[in-house]
Amino acid sequence: MASNSFIFLHVLVMFSLASIALSDSLSPSFYNHVCPQALPTIKRVVEDAVRKERRMGASLLRLHFHDCFVNGCDASILLDKTATIDSEKTAIPNNNSIRGFDVIDKIKSEVDKYCGRSIVSCADIVAVAARDSVVALGGPTWEVPLGRRDSTTASRTTANNDIPPPFLDLPALINNFKKQGLDEKDLVALSGGHTLGFAQCFTFRNRIYNETNIDPTFRRQRQANCPRSGGDSNLAPLDPTPALFDSKYFSDLRSKKGLLHSDQALFSGGKTDDLVEKYSKNLRMFSKDFVESMIKMGNIKPLTGKQGQIRVNCRKVN
C-alpha cells in the first residue's frame, strides 16, 4: 500500500511538472501543487530583508517595474553582463541605482531548496517580491498571476529607451506607458509607488533649482542636501513617509511638493489632475487601483509554456 501511494505521489508530481512546462497562461495557483512552500518562502525572505532595511521594500518594487518595462516581465534585469548579454544593470535608469539583487538571489536559493529543484522562475520571484514588499510596508495585498519564464537575453538599449526617466512631462509619460499597454489611470496609480522609497540628488536637482511650480519651503529643504554640484547620490524621500504605503505622495503633488519633475507633472493642470486629487483624499481607492495596475503591469509580455527557461542562477542564463 505504501509503495502504491509513493508511486501515485510521484506520478502526480511529474504530471504537475509537465503541466507547468506546457502552460501558456498565468495563474495565481501555478505552484500550488509542485511547490506549495514557494510563496511563503518568498514572503519570509522579503519580510526579513525589509525588516533589516525598510528602503529595500521600495527597491524590490522598483526592480519589478524596471523589469516589466523592458521587453516584458522576464527577469532580464537580473542578468549580469557577459560577452553575449548586454546587461540592463548598466542602463542609465539602473546604473548605480537599481537594488535588491542580493535579496532575489537569497529568495531563489531558499525557494529552490524547499522545492527540491529549480521550479520557480526568477521573473515570478521578482513579481511576488514586489507584492510582498508593498504588504510589508503597510500596503494592500493581491494574488499575483504566476507562470512567467525567464529570458535568455537582455537589452541595455531598450532599457535606456523604455524605462521612463524622471524628467518627462505628462504627454511623454502618457505615451511611454501607452507603449506598454498601460493607460492614464495606470500611470497615476503606478507612479503612486513613489509613496515608498528615495531618489538620488541628480534626479531632482534641476527641479529644485530651476523650476517654478514648487513649494518654496520644500525647495529649500531639498536644496540643503542636494547642492548645485556634487552630492549626486545624496538621497531624499519621495514623500514624507517613505517606508509607509499611504496617499501622502498625492497630497504632496497637490501642494507642489513632488520631488521629481515626472511626479509633479501628474498634477500640473493636465488631464491627470482629477485622479491625483481623488487618490490624495481616498487611500482605499488608490490602493484598489494600484493593485489593478500592478497586475496589469505584471502581465506585460510574459514568457510562458516552452518560451525562455527557468534559470538556476538568476544572474546568468543556464
Side-chain angles (χ1 to χ4, degrees):
M1 180 67 73
S3 176
N4 289 341
S5 297
F6 175 79
I7 292 172
F8 174 76
L9 180 61
H10 179 72
V11 170
L12 180 63
V13 168
M14 295 307 294
F15 177 78
S16 297
L17 287 172
S19 298
I20 277 185
L22 296 173
S23 179
D24 289 320
S25 60
L26 303 184
S27 167
S29 61
F30 194 80
Y31 299 109
N32 283 8
H33 296 297
V34 292
C35 190
Q37 284 301 308
L39 298 192
T41 302
I42 297 173
K43 184 173 186 286
R44 175 176 54 79
V45 178
V46 168
E47 287 177 344
D48 185 55
V50 173
R51 195 178 301 115
K52 290 176 180 174
E53 184 196 7
R54 303 286 282 176
R55 182 185 167 208
M56 184 53 69
S59 297
L60 291 171
L61 175 60
R62 184 169 179 250
L63 191 65
H64 183 40
F65 181 95
H66 282 215
D67 181 37
C68 291
F69 265 57
V70 183
N71 296 323
C73 312
D74 59 4
S76 59
I77 196 170
L78 305 180
L79 291 172
D80 288 337
K81 183 176 176 60
T82 68
T84 57
I85 298 293
D86 192 16
S87 178
E88 295 163 22
K89 294 180 180 181
T90 57
I92 293 170
N94 297 331
N95 196 32
N96 296 318
S97 170
I98 204 76
R99 307 168 72 240
F101 300 112
D102 290 344
V103 177
I104 298 299
D105 290 342
K106 181 170 177 55
I107 294 172
K108 178 65 171 171
S109 174
E110 293 289 306
V111 167
D112 284 1
K113 182 170 68 176
Y114 274 97
C115 296
R117 68 186 79 187
S118 190
I119 292 173
V120 181
S121 70
C122 301
D124 277 345
I125 288 173
V126 170
V128 175
R131 187 273 309 276
D132 290 345
S133 294
V134 169
V135 174
L137 295 174
T141 189
W142 63 94
E143 287 193 326
V144 179
L146 300 167
R148 300 169 191 79
R149 290 170 64 84
D150 301 323
S151 72
T152 56
T153 61
S155 177
R156 184 167 58 94
T157 299
T158 305
N160 282 329
N161 290 336
D162 288 0
I163 296 174
F167 318 111
L168 294 184
D169 290 322
L170 183 59
L173 285 168
I174 290 173
N175 287 335
N176 178 277
F177 274 63
K178 185 177 180 181
K179 183 177 179 181
Q180 304 293 344
L182 302 172
D183 59 26
E184 291 158 20
K185 188 184 82 169
D186 299 318
L187 165 63
V188 180
L190 291 172
S191 294
H194 285 177
T195 181
L196 304 172
F198 295 77
Q200 296 185 58
C201 169
F202 78 93
T203 64
F204 59 86
R205 177 180 285 121
N206 185 66
R207 171 151 170 75
I208 62 174
Y209 284 102
N210 298 320
E211 296 187 9
T212 56
N213 62 336
I214 183 169
D215 177 83
T217 302
F218 177 74
R219 180 203 301 273
R220 288 192 296 272
Q221 289 171 343
R222 292 295 162 260
Q223 287 176 348
N225 193 44
C226 181
R228 286 184 180 273
S229 62
D232 283 2
S233 61
N234 291 357
L235 295 175
L238 285 159
D239 88 341
T241 53
L244 178 65
F245 189 98
D246 57 22
S247 59
K248 290 183 180 177
Y249 166 79
F250 296 106
S251 299
D252 268 8
L253 299 188
R254 295 180 62 203
S255 302
K256 298 184 179 180
K257 295 179 182 177
L259 183 62
L260 306 177
H261 178 87
S262 55
D263 288 331
Q264 195 58 56
L266 301 177
F267 193 81
S268 55
K271 58 175 71 175
T272 55
D273 280 15
D274 286 347
L275 200 50
V276 168
E277 189 161 346
K278 288 176 182 176
Y279 288 165
S280 73
K281 298 174 181 178
N282 192 332
L283 176 58
R284 181 172 294 184
M285 179 185 180
F286 164 48
S287 297
K288 175 181 173 292
D289 288 355
F290 178 80
V291 163
E292 291 176 357
S293 294
M294 283 295 293
I295 293 172
K296 189 174 176 181
M297 182 184 77
N299 288 339
I300 295 175
K301 294 188 290 187
L303 300 175
T304 59
K306 294 184 178 180
Q307 298 173 312
Q309 61 182 214
I310 306 298
R311 289 186 216 137
V312 176
N313 180 337
C314 289
R315 293 174 182 257
K316 62 182 183 181
V317 175
N318 295 345

